[in-house]
Amino acid sequence: MSDEQFNLFTDTKQTSSPLAHRVRPLTVDHFFGQEKTLHKIDKLNLTNLPHIIFWGPPGCGKTTIAKILAKMAKYEFYTFNAVLGGVNDLRKIIKECLSTKETTGSKSIIFIDEIHRFNKGQQDALLPYLESGDFILLGATTESPNTSLNKAILSRVQCWPLNPLDESAIATLIQHTSETEDLALDPEVSKFLVKHSNGDARSTLNQLETLIINKEKIRELTPKQIIKDYLFSQRRYDKNQDRHYDVISAFIKSVRGSDANAAILWLAVMLDGGEDIEFIARRLIVLASEDVGNADPRALQVATSAHYGIKNIGMPEARIILAQATTYLANAPKSNASYLAIDRALEFIKENSTVEVPTHLRNHHPDKKKYKYSHSFENHWVSQIYEKTQETFYESSKLGYEKMQDDYLNRIKN
């Protein structure tokens, strides 16, 4: 590989800057990964750029792509962080863009990082300028634009999704950076970085920088010692985005499917990610009624006891309580009969007029004397009409304790 091909990065002489900043690529030719996005850029008319929101996880190249695009189009590039700046700061930048357009006739690009942090008022402040095309808006967000941006903004921008970088792109990044920074990287260490990168280039480069800073110290260490003492595994989790909902969904479905092993795995993922333990316990309470029900009435007791326990114990011991409740519910016989019954009854109520109470069941009515007191009869049961809809709402699953209940009722009724 030629020396020219190694010169892929910006600010290589600024050794005081973080490695991830120093090696940020300047051109699409040297951007690793995101082939679909690069293909879209190749098809763009650079003299008439659209407003674009880049949406993807941290470290996937959103800011880098925006800067490369601005350089290709040869537009003035202004950056704004939605966390650090307010509307007044943004208006100052917009004023500069309008001045540039008036004096040179050329548009500018405003890149808004973490644009999902803008509230409705801040987003609305952009609308007239986007409508008239006074500047080009490029934005970056880790949250779905469909939920974090208002409809007026969405109708004026293109949303480009970016994915976590694949292992091939991460491997290429590690190789080129190691060679550029004169770091002799053992293949086992490189493999660990690739495998545990979680598709995050910035985080991978931060770990690589640790090795570069300590390259004299690690020279005599084995790969296993380097991994143990200097590196760590990247694991992605969030508490209110897709990963949060995907993992809890897998957890609930594993318990419902009676796979205790899978359920424990997903529980561990949530605990490792810092998930709210009360949220997990609440979901187990719902599951105990929805999916286990009266097939094992003790399931609800276990779940509610677990909720009480973890509130009073806390982590790390709470993990044991949650594990017990999870495995109990996973291994319990399953029935959603109660869940289906109440939904059928509610649907019936909504589709019909007021359901009248039979006169012999009313609190005050002459016919109340016709009510038959169950405990006065053999087996504490007597045939009696309790509602007149003639609809069947509850159907036993004939599993677990529900089967025992069926057998008991059949015995006393016959």
mmCIF file of all heavy atoms in Angstrom, residues 271 275-278 281 305-323:
data_model
loop_
_atom_site.group_PDB
_atom_site.id
_atom_site.type_symbol
_atom_site.label_atom_id
_atom_site.label_comp_id
_atom_site.label_asym_id
_atom_site.label_seq_id
_atom_site.Cartn_x
_atom_site.Cartn_y
_atom_site.Cartn_z
ATOM 1 N N LEU A 271 -30.086 -6.287 32.902
ATOM 2 C CA LEU A 271 -29.389 -5.903 34.131
ATOM 3 C C LEU A 271 -28.014 -5.323 33.810
ATOM 4 O O LEU A 271 -27.596 -4.321 34.409
ATOM 5 C CB LEU A 271 -29.252 -7.117 35.051
ATOM 6 C CG LEU A 271 -30.557 -7.686 35.612
ATOM 7 C CD1 LEU A 271 -30.284 -8.920 36.456
ATOM 8 C CD2 LEU A 271 -31.315 -6.644 36.427
ATOM 9 N N GLU A 275 -30.905 -1.507 33.120
ATOM 10 C CA GLU A 275 -32.360 -1.354 33.038
ATOM 11 C C GLU A 275 -32.959 -1.171 34.443
ATOM 12 O O GLU A 275 -32.445 -1.694 35.429
ATOM 13 C CB GLU A 275 -32.973 -2.592 32.364
ATOM 14 C CG GLU A 275 -34.469 -2.525 32.151
ATOM 15 C CD GLU A 275 -34.879 -1.362 31.271
ATOM 16 O OE1 GLU A 275 -34.812 -1.487 30.041
ATOM 17 O OE2 GLU A 275 -35.264 -0.312 31.852
ATOM 18 N N ASP A 276 -34.040 -0.414 34.521
ATOM 19 C CA ASP A 276 -34.755 -0.187 35.772
ATOM 20 C C ASP A 276 -35.317 -1.525 36.263
ATOM 21 O O ASP A 276 -36.171 -2.129 35.605
ATOM 22 C CB ASP A 276 -35.878 0.824 35.530
ATOM 23 C CG ASP A 276 -36.698 1.100 36.775
ATOM 24 O OD1 ASP A 276 -36.360 0.586 37.856
ATOM 25 O OD2 ASP A 276 -37.708 1.840 36.663
ATOM 26 N N ILE A 277 -34.865 -1.986 37.437
ATOM 27 C CA ILE A 277 -35.292 -3.299 37.921
ATOM 28 C C ILE A 277 -36.784 -3.318 38.266
ATOM 29 O O ILE A 277 -37.436 -4.355 38.163
ATOM 30 C CB ILE A 277 -34.453 -3.769 39.128
ATOM 31 C CG1 ILE A 277 -34.506 -2.753 40.268
ATOM 32 C CG2 ILE A 277 -33.016 -4.044 38.707
ATOM 33 C CD1 ILE A 277 -33.804 -3.223 41.542
ATOM 34 N N GLU A 278 -37.338 -2.178 38.665
ATOM 35 C CA GLU A 278 -38.778 -2.124 38.948
ATOM 36 C C GLU A 278 -39.589 -2.277 37.666
ATOM 37 O O GLU A 278 -40.671 -2.860 37.670
ATOM 38 C CB GLU A 278 -39.140 -0.835 39.668
ATOM 39 C CG GLU A 278 -38.708 -0.800 41.124
ATOM 40 C CD GLU A 278 -39.378 0.314 41.888
ATOM 41 O OE1 GLU A 278 -40.625 0.462 41.781
ATOM 42 O OE2 GLU A 278 -38.664 1.063 42.578
ATOM 43 N N ALA A 281 -39.700 -5.945 37.015
ATOM 44 C CA ALA A 281 -40.607 -6.611 37.953
ATOM 45 C C ALA A 281 -42.068 -6.330 37.613
ATOM 46 O O ALA A 281 -42.913 -7.228 37.709
ATOM 47 C CB ALA A 281 -40.300 -6.160 39.376
ATOM 48 N N SER A 305 -44.386 -10.611 44.928
ATOM 49 C CA SER A 305 -43.380 -10.709 45.987
ATOM 50 C C SER A 305 -42.014 -10.266 45.478
ATOM 51 O O SER A 305 -41.245 -9.621 46.196
ATOM 52 C CB SER A 305 -43.295 -12.154 46.508
ATOM 53 O OG SER A 305 -44.497 -12.521 47.156
ATOM 54 N N ALA A 306 -41.721 -10.613 44.227
ATOM 55 C CA ALA A 306 -40.446 -10.190 43.628
ATOM 56 C C ALA A 306 -40.387 -8.672 43.531
ATOM 57 O O ALA A 306 -39.353 -8.050 43.823
ATOM 58 C CB ALA A 306 -40.279 -10.816 42.248
ATOM 59 N N HIS A 307 -41.495 -8.066 43.119
ATOM 60 C CA HIS A 307 -41.554 -6.603 43.016
ATOM 61 C C HIS A 307 -41.313 -5.964 44.375
ATOM 62 O O HIS A 307 -40.552 -4.995 44.510
ATOM 63 C CB HIS A 307 -42.907 -6.176 42.446
ATOM 64 C CG HIS A 307 -43.015 -4.699 42.206
ATOM 65 N ND1 HIS A 307 -43.712 -3.876 43.052
ATOM 66 C CD2 HIS A 307 -42.502 -3.906 41.228
ATOM 67 C CE1 HIS A 307 -43.633 -2.631 42.608
ATOM 68 N NE2 HIS A 307 -42.903 -2.628 41.504
ATOM 69 N N TYR A 308 -41.956 -6.492 45.410
ATOM 70 C CA TYR A 308 -41.759 -5.980 46.769
ATOM 71 C C TYR A 308 -40.306 -6.175 47.197
ATOM 72 O O TYR A 308 -39.684 -5.272 47.762
ATOM 73 C CB TYR A 308 -42.695 -6.714 47.743
ATOM 74 C CG TYR A 308 -42.453 -6.379 49.190
ATOM 75 C CD1 TYR A 308 -43.006 -5.238 49.762
ATOM 76 C CD2 TYR A 308 -41.658 -7.211 49.988
ATOM 77 C CE1 TYR A 308 -42.766 -4.929 51.093
ATOM 78 C CE2 TYR A 308 -41.414 -6.907 51.317
ATOM 79 C CZ TYR A 308 -41.971 -5.763 51.866
ATOM 80 O OH TYR A 308 -41.732 -5.455 53.180
ATOM 81 N N GLY A 309 -39.770 -7.353 46.922
ATOM 82 C CA GLY A 309 -38.418 -7.673 47.348
ATOM 83 C C GLY A 309 -37.364 -6.781 46.733
ATOM 84 O O GLY A 309 -36.491 -6.259 47.433
ATOM 85 N N ILE A 310 -37.439 -6.579 45.408
ATOM 86 C CA ILE A 310 -36.378 -5.806 44.740
ATOM 87 C C ILE A 310 -36.440 -4.325 45.138
ATOM 88 O O ILE A 310 -35.423 -3.635 45.153
ATOM 89 C CB ILE A 310 -36.412 -5.975 43.207
ATOM 90 C CG1 ILE A 310 -37.735 -5.473 42.623
ATOM 91 C CG2 ILE A 310 -36.179 -7.415 42.813
ATOM 92 C CD1 ILE A 310 -37.623 -4.225 41.843
ATOM 93 N N LYS A 311 -37.644 -3.833 45.501
ATOM 94 C CA LYS A 311 -37.755 -2.440 45.952
ATOM 95 C C LYS A 311 -37.052 -2.245 47.290
ATOM 96 O O LYS A 311 -36.539 -1.163 47.584
ATOM 97 C CB LYS A 311 -39.223 -2.031 46.070
ATOM 98 C CG LYS A 311 -39.921 -1.815 44.738
ATOM 99 C CD LYS A 311 -41.368 -1.414 44.913
ATOM 100 C CE LYS A 311 -41.489 -0.022 45.497
ATOM 101 N NZ LYS A 311 -42.902 0.429 45.546
ATOM 102 N N ASN A 312 -37.064 -3.282 48.111
ATOM 103 C CA ASN A 312 -36.477 -3.178 49.435
ATOM 104 C C ASN A 312 -35.027 -3.648 49.487
ATOM 105 O O ASN A 312 -34.299 -3.316 50.425
ATOM 106 C CB ASN A 312 -37.305 -3.999 50.432
ATOM 107 C CG ASN A 312 -38.629 -3.338 50.763
ATOM 108 O OD1 ASN A 312 -38.693 -2.468 51.616
ATOM 109 N ND2 ASN A 312 -39.685 -3.735 50.069
ATOM 110 N N ILE A 313 -34.611 -4.420 48.497
ATOM 111 C CA ILE A 313 -33.252 -4.970 48.493
ATOM 112 C C ILE A 313 -32.325 -4.175 47.583
ATOM 113 O O ILE A 313 -31.245 -3.769 47.970
ATOM 114 C CB ILE A 313 -33.263 -6.452 48.058
ATOM 115 C CG1 ILE A 313 -34.105 -7.279 49.018
ATOM 116 C CG2 ILE A 313 -31.838 -6.990 47.982
ATOM 117 C CD1 ILE A 313 -33.619 -7.310 50.441
ATOM 118 N N GLY A 314 -32.764 -3.938 46.340
ATOM 119 C CA GLY A 314 -31.912 -3.245 45.370
ATOM 120 C C GLY A 314 -30.840 -4.151 44.792
ATOM 121 O O GLY A 314 -30.682 -5.301 45.199
ATOM 122 N N MET A 315 -30.112 -3.608 43.825
ATOM 123 C CA MET A 315 -29.025 -4.357 43.189
ATOM 124 C C MET A 315 -27.796 -4.353 44.093
ATOM 125 O O MET A 315 -27.616 -3.433 44.879
ATOM 126 C CB MET A 315 -28.707 -3.743 41.834
ATOM 127 C CG MET A 315 -29.761 -4.009 40.789
ATOM 128 S SD MET A 315 -29.863 -5.754 40.316
ATOM 129 C CE MET A 315 -28.393 -5.910 39.287
ATOM 130 N N PRO A 316 -26.923 -5.357 44.012
ATOM 131 C CA PRO A 316 -26.934 -6.437 43.015
ATOM 132 C C PRO A 316 -27.771 -7.657 43.407
ATOM 133 O O PRO A 316 -28.003 -8.528 42.589
ATOM 134 C CB PRO A 316 -25.455 -6.813 42.908
ATOM 135 C CG PRO A 316 -24.915 -6.557 44.285
ATOM 136 C CD PRO A 316 -25.656 -5.345 44.791
ATOM 137 N N GLU A 317 -28.214 -7.714 44.690
ATOM 138 C CA GLU A 317 -28.939 -8.897 45.142
ATOM 139 C C GLU A 317 -30.286 -9.066 44.445
ATOM 140 O O GLU A 317 -30.807 -10.183 44.330
ATOM 141 C CB GLU A 317 -29.150 -8.850 46.658
ATOM 142 C CG GLU A 317 -27.888 -9.064 47.469
ATOM 143 C CD GLU A 317 -27.064 -7.791 47.620
ATOM 144 O OE1 GLU A 317 -27.485 -6.746 47.083
ATOM 145 O OE2 GLU A 317 -25.991 -7.853 48.268
ATOM 146 N N ALA A 318 -30.859 -7.947 43.978
ATOM 147 C CA ALA A 318 -32.162 -8.009 43.301
ATOM 148 C C ALA A 318 -32.120 -8.916 42.080
ATOM 149 O O ALA A 318 -33.150 -9.449 41.657
ATOM 150 C CB ALA A 318 -32.616 -6.608 42.903
ATOM 151 N N ARG A 319 -30.937 -9.093 41.512
ATOM 152 C CA ARG A 319 -30.812 -9.949 40.325
ATOM 153 C C ARG A 319 -31.273 -11.369 40.649
ATOM 154 O O ARG A 319 -31.840 -12.065 39.792
ATOM 155 C CB ARG A 319 -29.374 -9.949 39.808
ATOM 156 C CG ARG A 319 -28.423 -10.829 40.605
ATOM 157 C CD ARG A 319 -26.957 -10.608 40.254
ATOM 158 N NE ARG A 319 -26.095 -11.633 40.850
ATOM 159 C CZ ARG A 319 -25.729 -11.637 42.130
ATOM 160 N NH1 ARG A 319 -26.157 -10.686 42.952
ATOM 161 N NH2 ARG A 319 -24.941 -12.598 42.598
ATOM 162 N N ILE A 320 -31.014 -11.822 41.892
ATOM 163 C CA ILE A 320 -31.361 -13.185 42.284
ATOM 164 C C ILE A 320 -32.878 -13.325 42.386
ATOM 165 O O ILE A 320 -33.460 -14.320 41.938
ATOM 166 C CB ILE A 320 -30.698 -13.548 43.631
ATOM 167 C CG1 ILE A 320 -29.194 -13.267 43.574
ATOM 168 C CG2 ILE A 320 -30.962 -15.000 43.985
ATOM 169 C CD1 ILE A 320 -28.511 -13.301 44.934
ATOM 170 N N ILE A 321 -33.511 -12.318 42.962
ATOM 171 C CA ILE A 321 -34.973 -12.339 43.105
ATOM 172 C C ILE A 321 -35.632 -12.335 41.738
ATOM 173 O O ILE A 321 -36.572 -13.099 41.475
ATOM 174 C CB ILE A 321 -35.436 -11.127 43.935
ATOM 175 C CG1 ILE A 321 -34.805 -11.175 45.334
ATOM 176 C CG2 ILE A 321 -36.957 -11.068 44.031
ATOM 177 C CD1 ILE A 321 -35.041 -9.933 46.172
ATOM 178 N N LEU A 322 -35.143 -11.478 40.853
ATOM 179 C CA LEU A 322 -35.708 -11.411 39.502
ATOM 180 C C LEU A 322 -35.471 -12.724 38.746
ATOM 181 O O LEU A 322 -36.336 -13.171 37.982
ATOM 182 C CB LEU A 322 -35.097 -10.246 38.728
ATOM 183 C CG LEU A 322 -35.536 -8.845 39.177
ATOM 184 C CD1 LEU A 322 -34.699 -7.775 38.485
ATOM 185 C CD2 LEU A 322 -37.016 -8.624 38.885
ATOM 186 N N ALA A 323 -34.320 -13.333 38.960
ATOM 187 C CA ALA A 323 -34.026 -14.612 38.302
ATOM 188 C C ALA A 323 -34.973 -15.695 38.792
ATOM 189 O O ALA A 323 -35.464 -16.522 38.005
ATOM 190 C CB ALA A 323 -32.580 -15.014 38.554
#
